[in-house]
Amino acid sequence: MFQRFAACQARRPVATCLVTGASVMSIGDSAVQLCGSGTLDLERNVVVSAYNGGTSPFFYFWWQHLDGMWPGKGVAAVARKALVNQATMAPFNSALFLTWSTALESWIKSKHFESKDDPTALKSKIWEKVKSKVRSEIPDLVLAQCGYWLPANAVNFMFMPQHLRVVFMSSCAVIWGGYISYVVHR
């Protein structure tokens, strides 16, 4: 099975990254939902999984870019790649995930109910919810990311061949996906 995955990753890296990222987030979010409430909200799962699937190809190419800037697996090169990745991507990715999930889920849920709000009022309500969530969650989320993703990125850059980085990081993301989904939905 692993050899098939590696072959697929080599032939179709973007599609493989997309499917892997979405699948892994779906597993993480499902675990959080089932352990928490005992039920599964499929709309929520699709929203968070779509985000992770959509951004996974970007990270595949971003990590290649970092490898081009600092080639090798030595401590200095790995430290640079992990720190630059953490400093540039972590806050941005967290804010984008929180924005995406909060806005899209709020919009979808508003469609289920006969909302008497006009579209402008609904957009304003959703935007306020997004701003509040981002302001309240980002500082703690970025700190948590440092403790989790810096070591994961160091292992990724030091030990993983390029074609297996997305699957390794996606495996790490099962835990993180569960955590960030919990943060978005608490």
Side-chain angles (χ1 to χ4, degrees), residues 54-88:
T55 57
S56 290
F58 167 80
F59 283 103
Y60 175 79
F61 292 111
W62 168 246
W63 294 327
Q64 285 182 342
H65 173 71
L66 291 178
D67 279 335
M69 289 177 65
W70 299 291
K73 295 180 184 242
V75 173
V78 168
R80 284 185 190 107
K81 289 184 265 193
L83 288 170
V84 166
N85 188 67
Q86 189 65 36
T88 59

Side-chain angles (χ1 to χ4, degrees), residues 5 9 12-26 48-64 85 89 92-93 96-97 149 156 162-174 176-177:
F5 175 83
Q9 179 74 35
R12 294 182 184 86
V14 171
T16 305
C17 289
L18 193 146
V19 170
T20 301
S23 300
V24 164
M25 181 58 96
S26 179
V48 298
S49 299
Y51 175 84
N52 206 55
T55 57
S56 290
F58 167 80
F59 283 103
Y60 175 79
F61 292 111
W62 168 246
W63 294 327
Q64 285 182 342
N85 188 67
M89 291 298 125
F92 174 74
N93 193 36
L96 193 57
F97 179 80
W149 286 113
N156 190 37
Q162 269 188 344
H163 69 283
L164 296 179
R165 286 188 178 159
V166 167
V167 74
F168 172 74
M169 293 302 276
S170 289
S171 298
C172 294
V174 169
W176 183 256

Side-chain angles (χ1 to χ4, degrees), residues 15-174:
T16 305
C17 289
L18 193 146
V19 170
T20 301
S23 300
V24 164
M25 181 58 96
S26 179
I27 292 167
D29 179 62
S30 295
V32 165
Q33 289 188 54
L34 294 172
C35 289
S37 67
T39 61
L40 184 62
D41 178 347
L42 289 176
E43 288 172 343
R44 165 185 158 170
N45 192 268
V46 168
V47 167
V48 298
S49 299
Y51 175 84
N52 206 55
T55 57
S56 290
F58 167 80
F59 283 103
Y60 175 79
F61 292 111
W62 168 246
W63 294 327
Q64 285 182 342
H65 173 71
L66 291 178
D67 279 335
M69 289 177 65
W70 299 291
K73 295 180 184 242
V75 173
V78 168
R80 284 185 190 107
K81 289 184 265 193
L83 288 170
V84 166
N85 188 67
Q86 189 65 36
T88 59
M89 291 298 125
F92 174 74
N93 193 36
S94 291
L96 193 57
F97 179 80
L98 286 170
T99 300
W100 167 272
S101 299
T102 304
L104 196 53
E105 286 180 46
S106 296
W107 180 75
I108 288 170
K109 292 200 185 321
S110 74
K111 296 295 182 186
H112 287 297
F113 305 105
E114 291 296 319
S115 178
K116 295 185 178 21
D117 292 336
D118 65 85
T120 305
L122 180 60
K123 286 178 194 173
S124 179
K125 202 184 285 186
I126 291 171
W127 180 239
E128 287 305 315
K129 188 175 182 179
V130 166
K131 287 192 309 189
S132 173
K133 182 62 87 171
V134 168
R135 268 186 285 217
S136 67
E137 300 294 351
I138 289 297
D140 290 338
L141 198 54
V142 170
L143 286 175
Q145 282 179 311
C146 288
Y148 186 79
W149 286 113
L150 273 173
N153 275 302
V155 169
N156 190 37
F157 290 124
M158 190 169 279
F159 300 112
M160 292 295 126
Q162 269 188 344
H163 69 283
L164 296 179
R165 286 188 178 159
V166 167
V167 74
F168 172 74
M169 293 302 276
S170 289
S171 298
C172 294
V174 169

